[in-house]
Each structure stands twice: as structure tokens, then as C-alpha cells.
Amino acid sequence: MPHMNGRELARKLFETRPDTKVLYMSGYTDNAIVHNGILDAGVAFLQKPITPAVLARKVRAVLDGV
């Protein structure tokens, strides 16, 4: 995104819609993302590339709060 990153977007969404579910995706490894402070531990995250089936399962899990 040209004007903000995903974390900033999520923060803005939570201001008006605190029940919003967020799933982060990146081409970087999950270790690089979490350990560099980009995401907090326990945040829903998928590392690309992913299959449609993996995406569907993760989206369902996030929506269900699992």
C-alpha cells in the first residue's frame, strides 16, 4: 500500500470497528516479521506463497476466533 502499511491500516480500522478481524500475509518469513517488531506474537499471519485451501482454512480460523 502506498501510504501506510498493514499494521497502520489495522490500527485505523480498529478505531471505528474494534471487532474487525485481521489476517496478515507477507512474502517475508514469519520469524522475520515477528522478530523485527512488525507484528506482535499471536497475530494471525500467513507466509506466501499459499494455496487456496490454506488461505480458506486460515480465514475461517480467524473469523471463528481460533
Side-chain angles (χ1 to χ4, degrees):
M1 294 180 289
H3 301 289
M4 69 179 70
N5 63 38
R7 188 177 184 182
E8 293 166 336
L9 175 61
R11 195 174 307 131
K12 285 189 172 282
L13 286 170
F14 290 142
E15 290 174 7
T16 56
R17 301 196 60 149
D19 59 336
T20 300
K21 307 291 184 179
V22 176
L23 171 60
Y24 292 93
M25 292 190 288
S26 177
Y28 294 106
T29 66
D30 56 352
N31 286 338
I33 297 291
V34 173
H35 293 289
N36 287 320
I38 298 169
L39 292 180
D40 296 325
V43 170
F45 175 80
L46 278 176
Q47 180 182 343
K48 295 177 186 174
I50 56 172
T51 65
V54 169
L55 176 60
R57 280 193 302 273
K58 189 65 170 189
V59 168
R60 180 77 271 153
V62 170
L63 293 175
D64 291 344
V66 176

